[in-house]
């Protein structure tokens, strides 16, 4: 419970000499999953324009791995070049100890000054720009949230931002239309599994590159599955009747090259991971931040709420098993999202 005067919270956190302490993921330096710890840290406070959310679920994303391993600054530098920023423009840097996590879903427990839309007790989902959602509590900008539908599971709600929004931006960038064929690599992954469904809604024929184990799910969702690996170009051509019009790469590796081998022009290729292909002009790189913020998120939430979009959950882990969760994320073999539950 919460008491506004003393800010007492009971439900996993503890008092430390009269001060409230919550549990959150922290790391003190770059490295492998071994650097991740769950610690007692000070509770967040709702600054003006913010609310504090008691987190019920928060997705684990591959991007968190790049940040934790110290590769994010390279990605930021590449994005700066892509956006035309001057080479001497200061880039974001990590401050340690650092938090982790972007997606979140939970109940509002405190409201900052100037926030009128939200109230204590509201169920919400959204994202944190500060990468701190892997925690029992998180302070988040009020305009980074949308209402959680009553029938949506917490696990799905806590997975709605990073991967689904990257999928939305990708599909809108390559703009498939009825009569065309689009290919999605990594089609059973967190981004791909949403991208194939959104692409199918455009009326285009969709080919999903995935393992044999995921073929049945693809067919059930109106997607033509093709097994990835040696000979995949020939298998795609056969499934597409010889013509591919657009390509979404959610995996990296050489998939942008495959798109061009299949005859897809650069303007109809989007990758969410291959910055170098974008720098070379071989693909677009629209992603999570290009999907319209809260308005785009609301579109996706509405589709899930009406049963028109499926967000598979591959596995859930308690916050204390954050290392195990990210070992699974790093394998890149799961069907759908991996979620942490504080």
């Amino acid at each position: 419970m919460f008491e506004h005067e003393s800010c007492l919270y009971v439900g996993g956190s503890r008092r430390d000499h009269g001060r409230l302490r919550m549990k959150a993921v922290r790391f003190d330096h770059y490295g492998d999953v071994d650097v991740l710890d769950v610690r007692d840290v000070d509770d967040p406070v709702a600054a003006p324009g913010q609310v504090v959310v008691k987190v019920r679920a928060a997705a684990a994303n591959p991007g968190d791995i790049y940040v934790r391993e110290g590769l994010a600054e390279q990605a930021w530098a590449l994005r700066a070049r892509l956006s035309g920023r001057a080479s001497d423009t200061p880039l974001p840097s990590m401050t340690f100890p650092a938090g982790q996590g972007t997606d979140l879903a939970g109940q509002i427990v405190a409201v900052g000054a100037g926030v009128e839309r939200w109230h204590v007790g509201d169920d919400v989902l959204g994202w944190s720009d500060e990468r701190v959602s892997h925690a029992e509590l998180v302070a988040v900008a009020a305009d980074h949230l949308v209402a959680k539908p009553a029938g949506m599971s917490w696990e799905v709600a806590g997975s709605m931002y990073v991967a689904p929004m990257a999928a939305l931006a990708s599909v809108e960038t390559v703009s498939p239309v009825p009569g065309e064929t689009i290919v999605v690599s990594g089609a059973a992954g967190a981004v791909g599994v949403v991208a194939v469904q959104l692409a199918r809604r455009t009326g285009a024929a969709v080919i999903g590159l995935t393992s044999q184990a995921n073929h049945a799910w693809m067919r059930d969702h109106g997607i033509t599955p093709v097994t990835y690996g040696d000979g995949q170009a020939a298998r795609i051509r056969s499934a597409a009747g010889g013509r591919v019009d657009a390509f979404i790469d959610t995996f990296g590796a050489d998939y942008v090259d495959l798109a061009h081998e299949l005859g897809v022009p650069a303007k109809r290729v989007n990758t969410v991971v291959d910055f170098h292909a974008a720098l070379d002009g071989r693909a677009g790189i629209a992603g999570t931040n290009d999907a319209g913020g809260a308005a785009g998120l609301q579109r996706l939430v509405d589709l899930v709420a009406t049963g028109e979009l499926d967000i598979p959950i591959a596995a859930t882990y308690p916050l204390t098993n954050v290392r195990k969760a990210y070992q699974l994320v790093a394998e890149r073999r799961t069907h759908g999202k991996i979620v942490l539950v504080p």
Side-chain angles (χ1 to χ4, degrees), residues 31 61-71 100 326 329-331:
N61 290 295
D64 299 320
I65 297 176
Y66 300 132
V67 172
R68 190 194 69 231
E69 292 182 342
L71 303 176
Q100 182 179 256
Y326 274 93
V329 172
E331 291 176 2

Side-chain angles (χ1 to χ4, degrees), residues 29-172:
H29 54 84
Y30 295 128
D32 203 347
V33 293
D34 291 344
V35 305
L36 297 176
D37 291 314
V38 178
R39 303 177 188 168
D40 292 311
V41 302
D42 290 341
D43 272 31
V45 175
Q50 291 185 327
V51 301
V52 173
V53 176
K54 177 185 175 184
V55 179
R56 294 289 300 272
N61 290 295
D64 299 320
I65 297 176
Y66 300 132
V67 172
R68 190 194 69 231
E69 292 182 342
L71 303 176
E73 292 183 10
Q74 177 185 6
W76 285 325
L78 290 171
R79 274 203 176 276
R81 291 172 60 187
L82 285 167
S83 63
R85 288 164 49 187
S87 60
D88 60 350
T89 300
L91 296 172
S93 60
M94 294 291 291
T95 299
F96 295 108
Q100 182 179 256
T102 300
D103 295 272
L104 63 96
Q107 291 108 3
I108 292 177
V109 295
V111 178
V115 177
E116 297 182 355
R117 177 181 179 185
W118 304 114
H119 304 88
V120 170
D122 288 345
D123 292 343
V124 294
L125 62 91
W127 76 98
S128 164
D129 283 335
E130 285 72 42
R131 293 188 179 275
V132 291
S133 69
H134 293 166
E136 291 180 322
L137 300 168
V138 59
V140 59
D143 60 1
H144 285 12
L145 301 170
V146 302
K148 172 191 167 297
M152 180 182 288
S153 74
W154 285 113
E155 291 80 7
V156 168
S159 305
M160 286 301 303
Y161 184 68
V162 171
M165 291 284 277
L168 176 61
S170 295
V171 173
E172 292 189 335

Side-chain angles (χ1 to χ4, degrees), residues 77-332:
L78 290 171
R79 274 203 176 276
R81 291 172 60 187
L82 285 167
S83 63
R85 288 164 49 187
S87 60
D88 60 350
T89 300
L91 296 172
S93 60
M94 294 291 291
T95 299
F96 295 108
Q100 182 179 256
T102 300
D103 295 272
L104 63 96
Q107 291 108 3
I108 292 177
V109 295
V111 178
V115 177
E116 297 182 355
R117 177 181 179 185
W118 304 114
H119 304 88
V120 170
D122 288 345
D123 292 343
V124 294
L125 62 91
W127 76 98
S128 164
D129 283 335
E130 285 72 42
R131 293 188 179 275
V132 291
S133 69
H134 293 166
E136 291 180 322
L137 300 168
V138 59
V140 59
D143 60 1
H144 285 12
L145 301 170
V146 302
K148 172 191 167 297
M152 180 182 288
S153 74
W154 285 113
E155 291 80 7
V156 168
S159 305
M160 286 301 303
Y161 184 68
V162 171
M165 291 284 277
L168 176 61
S170 295
V171 173
E172 292 189 335
T173 295
V174 301
S175 303
V177 297
E180 291 188 330
T181 298
I182 178 173
V183 176
V184 178
S185 69
V191 178
V193 79
V194 178
V196 291
Q197 295 178 78
L198 295 178
R200 189 70 187 91
R201 288 179 54 79
T202 69
V206 182
I207 293 174
L209 279 172
T210 184
S211 67
Q212 186 72 35
N214 297 306
H215 282 203
W217 186 94
M218 293 291 157
R219 294 191 187 96
D220 288 345
H221 289 76
I223 315 303
T224 300
V226 169
T227 303
Y228 67 85
D230 292 344
Q232 60 189 355
R235 291 192 293 275
I236 291 170
R237 290 191 182 97
S238 176
R243 172 182 163 183
V244 176
D245 302 282
F247 197 107
I248 294 173
D249 167 36
T250 76
F251 195 86
D254 298 321
Y255 281 113
V256 171
D257 292 337
L258 174 62
H260 290 290
E261 180 184 345
L262 294 168
V264 182
K267 66 181 180 180
R268 302 295 304 280
V269 181
N270 192 73
T271 177
V272 297
V273 289
D274 192 343
F275 289 94
H276 292 287
L279 283 170
D280 294 342
R282 293 179 289 126
I285 197 160
T288 301
N289 294 330
D290 305 302
L297 180 59
Q298 186 66 64
R299 290 170 56 193
L300 294 169
V301 169
D302 291 343
L303 289 174
V304 174
T306 56
E308 299 172 77
L309 179 62
D310 181 14
I311 308 292
I313 303 299
T316 61
Y317 291 91
L319 196 64
T320 50
N321 278 7
V322 61
R323 294 182 182 181
K324 177 63 177 178
Y326 274 93
Q327 287 171 344
L328 192 59
V329 172
E331 291 176 2
R332 305 184 73 180

